[in-house]
Amino acid sequence: MAELDKARAEDMHFSDGRIISSMCTAPPPLSLKAHMDFIESNLGNSGLYPGTSQLEAQVIDQLGQLMNGTGISGHIVNGGTESNIMALWIARNTTGKKEVVFPESAHFSFAKACDLLDMKPVSVPLSDDLTIDIDKARRVINDRTAIVIGMAGTTELGLIDPLRELGELIPEGTFFHVDAAFGGFVIPFLKDLGHEMPDFDFKIPEVTSITIDPHKMGMSTMPSGAFLTRKIGASDNIATRAPYLTLLKQTTLSGTRCSAAVASTYAAMRNLGRVGYRQIVKNCMDTTYHAATRARELGLELVKEPVMNVLGIHLPEGKEPEQVQALLKQRGWMVSRVEDPKCIRLVVMPHVEKRHVDLLFKELEVVI
Ligand code: 0PR
């Protein structure tokens, strides 16, 4: 234990409020307790864990409802990467096609998935508002396209693609996957709070599947991602026989699954409810606007007005994000950066409070 304590002491912790670059956060105590209580569960062999299986079905059903779907199926998996891989895998095996159309702003997990699945990435440039350029997307979607990807909350700037317009370009039989790994637990509550937000989920008729990650803004422990689909039997096309197990076939990439996160996600959702998530999102947005004000007070320009709790900030001429990031790190602050457009990036998760933002900007002023 002393050795473990030593390692832990070298780590950064959410409770310090100095990690302003992560899309994960400290889960509430109930999420942690639920996780610990289910630490033995392994839905890779679900016959041993009918109770946890039942919880997974309920969590998928609730997430499906949150995404405005009915009769949604899916799985709790290890995170957004695994869910995105599943989407491509199902599309490839169902359509027999190989092209994957996604915006330049898509998460790198799609590049990984294409490499693993021997699929062909077709990257679409962004328009001036930094979301997918619809005209350019139209030109590359064709009868070789297996799946089109739209983003509901880009990793770098929290932006939402024009998904209804993208949906209208999807040919019959082609898959349309929305990556709402981050935005899925933000956009519905921003809508509740009166923000004008576009539709991004199963309300759009062409959307076939969605990634949403409870271990990001869903307040669950890691690892918890969700793959949701409205296509009945979709995952049969990636099923692998597992005759010696209790479930006969597996329809996930992972075999053994840390299914404690299923209980944790269930606990987070039951405990917080819509009202709780709304309050969390409101607090994060208030702190994000606070950071935007601090940036402007320093004479720094925002890349865009924040749509969600991710903020891109331009540095003054001649100041390199990489260097500013490194100097802040030396002082114990972890921010992130974006290469294009070149800027520093703050992710204002629930563990980041206004007082942390104030301290960060004091340091940023000195560093600049
Ligand atoms: N889709 C989107 C939109 C994402 O932002 C991410 C991850 C993924 C998919 C993949 O999710 P998993 O990492 O769960 O497989 N976004 C963050 C990123 O790559 C994840 C992250 C989390 C990074 C915590 C750092 C960190 O400290 O930047």
Side-chain angles (χ1 to χ4, degrees):
M1 286 314 295
E3 287 161 17
L4 296 183
D5 286 346
K6 189 165 164 279
R8 213 180 107 76
E10 287 171 21
D11 290 346
M12 292 187 79
H13 302 284
F14 292 129
S15 54
D16 305 335
R18 287 168 166 250
I19 304 176
I20 314 195
S21 58
S22 171
M23 291 194 143
C24 297
T25 193
L30 210 75
S31 300
L32 284 177
K33 176 167 174 18
H35 187 113
M36 292 311 295
D37 287 353
F38 282 74
I39 202 77
E40 286 182 19
S41 295
N42 169 13
L43 292 176
N45 194 15
S46 57
L48 300 183
Y49 308 101
T52 314
S53 284
Q54 186 55 32
L55 286 181
E56 183 186 31
Q58 284 174 268
V59 168
I60 293 297
D61 186 58
Q62 286 166 20
L63 287 170
Q65 286 180 39
L66 180 66
M67 297 294 99
N68 287 302
T70 44
I72 300 303
S73 58
H75 283 296
I76 295 295
V77 295
N78 284 301
T81 301
E82 188 176 349
S83 176
N84 288 340
I85 291 171
M86 281 181 72
L88 267 58
W89 190 10
I90 290 171
R92 189 198 65 175
N93 285 10
T94 309
T95 63
K97 299 176 182 176
K98 289 221 167 171
E99 292 196 3
V100 184
V101 173
F102 53 78
E104 272 174 3
S105 54
H107 186 256
F108 57 77
S109 47
F110 293 104
K112 271 189 200 175
C114 286
D115 190 26
L116 283 169
L117 293 162
D118 192 26
M119 294 179 86
K120 183 182 168 204
V122 180
S123 177
V124 182
L126 307 182
S127 57
D128 289 345
D129 72 356
L130 304 177
T131 63
I132 192 166
D133 185 317
I134 289 290
D135 285 332
K136 294 193 172 132
R138 183 179 291 114
R139 275 180 242 149
V140 294
I141 297 173
N142 54 41
D143 58 8
R144 295 186 300 277
T145 309
I147 184 167
V148 177
I149 311 297
M151 300 301 298
T154 55
T155 308
E156 291 181 323
L157 294 168
L159 303 179
I160 307 169
D161 285 324
L163 297 167
R164 272 213 182 267
E165 287 95 315
L166 197 53
E168 284 164 12
L169 306 182
I170 308 292
E172 184 72 30
T174 301
F175 283 69
F176 182 25
H177 178 73
V178 172
D179 184 352
F182 189 75
F185 270 103
V186 180
I187 304 166
F189 310 114
L190 285 175
K191 276 192 189 181
D192 287 356
L193 290 163
H195 292 234
E196 210 163 294
M197 304 300 285
D199 289 333
F200 74 102
D201 54 18
F202 290 118
K203 258 196 189 160
I204 300 175
E206 296 85 3
V207 170
T208 45
S209 57
I210 297 180
T211 288
I212 172 171
D213 279 357
H215 72 198
K216 296 192 167 76
M217 284 294 284
M219 308 307 290
S220 167
T221 54
M222 290 177 246
S224 183
F227 174 76
L228 306 176
T229 178
R230 70 161 127 221
K231 281 213 165 198
I232 295 160
S235 56
D236 288 349
N237 287 330
I238 58 163
T240 308
R241 268 168 41 79
Y244 59 90
L245 296 182
T246 53
L247 71 169
L248 298 179
K249 63 178 187 181
Q250 271 189 358
T251 52
T252 49
L253 177 61
S254 292
T256 297
R257 282 193 281 152
C258 168
S259 308
V262 168
S264 178
T265 303
Y266 183 91
M269 289 171 67
R270 282 281 282 138
N271 180 34
L272 290 164
R274 242 188 138 95
V275 176
Y277 282 114
R278 199 178 299 156
Q279 192 56 50
I280 287 170
V281 168
K282 183 174 185 314
N283 292 346
C284 289
M285 288 313 290
D286 285 349
T287 311
T288 305
Y289 298 137
H290 184 73
T293 306
R294 285 280 171 275
R296 288 195 171 109
E297 283 168 4
L298 280 188
L300 304 177
E301 256 180 56
L302 305 184
V303 175
K304 284 201 71 153
E305 283 304 316
V307 175
M308 44 190 91
N309 43 330
V310 185
L311 191 65
I313 302 173
H314 285 299
L315 294 173
E317 269 301 300
K319 305 286 169 189
E320 287 301 318
E322 209 170 344
Q323 205 182 2
V324 167
Q325 182 191 35
L327 288 169
L328 283 171
K329 189 171 173 218
Q330 273 175 20
R331 290 161 182 258
W333 293 90
M334 207 53 222
V335 302
S336 163
R337 68 192 162 85
V338 177
E339 279 179 358
D340 184 22
K342 218 156 90 172
C343 64
I344 57 167
R345 163 183 176 260
L346 308 184
V347 188
V348 186
M349 294 298 286
H351 61 268
V352 181
E353 298 170 20
K354 286 183 186 163
R355 64 190 170 97
H356 302 126
V357 168
D358 289 341
L359 289 169
L360 169 73
F361 274 88
K362 266 193 193 143
E363 299 281 11
L364 183 61
E365 185 170 15
V366 175
V367 161
I368 286 176

